[in-house]
Amino acid sequence: MRKIITLAGIGMLGMLTARAQDQPVPVQDTMAVYRKKIDELDKEIIHLLGERMQAARIIGTYKMKHNVAVVQPDRFKKVLQQAIVEGEKVGLSADFVKQLYEDVHAESVRQEKELKQKDGVQTTQ
């Protein structure tokens, strides 16, 4: 929500500035503003994914210590369903969210399995 408000604010600021100067904002300037914003958001997405993977590694360590299987299908289904609902609220298709979360889940599983291999424990899934 904060990001949507920020983007709307940037757009409104650009319109107000253009009106104040009585000159239209060149398309290239507008594109540069939004491309910069996309670059910032992409960086934030990567950092958030890194934080998510850190949490997955902590969970992986817990699973190793308590002999819990790496893959938890019911948990993944629940997380995916919640993500689809949230994604639809901001205009993302269910197919996009599903693919994204399958990829994120696959990376989480890969990292959990890597922990087991480093620890010398045989992976079960």
Side-chain angles (χ1 to χ4, degrees):
M1 187 62 163
R2 183 180 81 214
K3 291 170 184 62
I4 293 170
I5 293 169
T6 301
L7 287 174
I10 290 171
M12 291 179 73
L13 181 60
M15 291 184 334
L16 290 172
T17 303
R19 282 190 184 158
Q21 296 174 356
D22 258 349
Q23 297 175 359
V25 175
V27 173
Q28 288 299 334
D29 291 348
T30 301
M31 285 180 57
V33 168
Y34 285 104
R35 284 181 173 162
K36 182 178 180 187
K37 185 64 180 174
I38 286 172
D39 292 345
E40 291 169 3
L41 292 169
D42 285 347
K43 188 175 180 179
E44 190 173 338
I45 289 167
I46 295 299
H47 285 282
L48 289 171
L49 285 170
E51 287 181 33
R52 191 184 194 286
M53 290 307 138
Q54 176 62 28
R57 288 188 296 273
I58 292 168
I59 290 170
T61 300
Y62 176 89
K63 287 177 181 178
M64 274 190 328
K65 289 179 181 177
H66 295 89
N67 201 26
V68 175
V70 171
V71 178
Q72 302 287 310
D74 291 337
R75 168 70 179 151
F76 178 68
K77 286 178 190 174
K78 181 180 176 184
V79 169
L80 179 58
Q81 289 169 348
Q82 291 172 338
I84 288 171
V85 168
E86 289 302 312
E88 287 175 343
K89 288 178 185 177
V90 295
L92 301 176
S93 73
D95 288 340
F96 172 77
V97 173
K98 183 175 187 268
Q99 183 62 55
L100 174 65
Y101 269 74
E102 285 174 351
D103 290 345
V104 168
H105 183 254
E107 178 63 11
S108 295
V109 169
R110 185 196 69 75
Q111 290 201 19
E112 284 186 37
K113 286 181 176 181
E114 189 175 271
L115 285 172
K116 281 189 170 191
Q117 290 172 349
K118 286 180 182 176
D119 194 50
V121 177
Q122 184 74 6
T123 59
T124 58
Q125 241 178 341

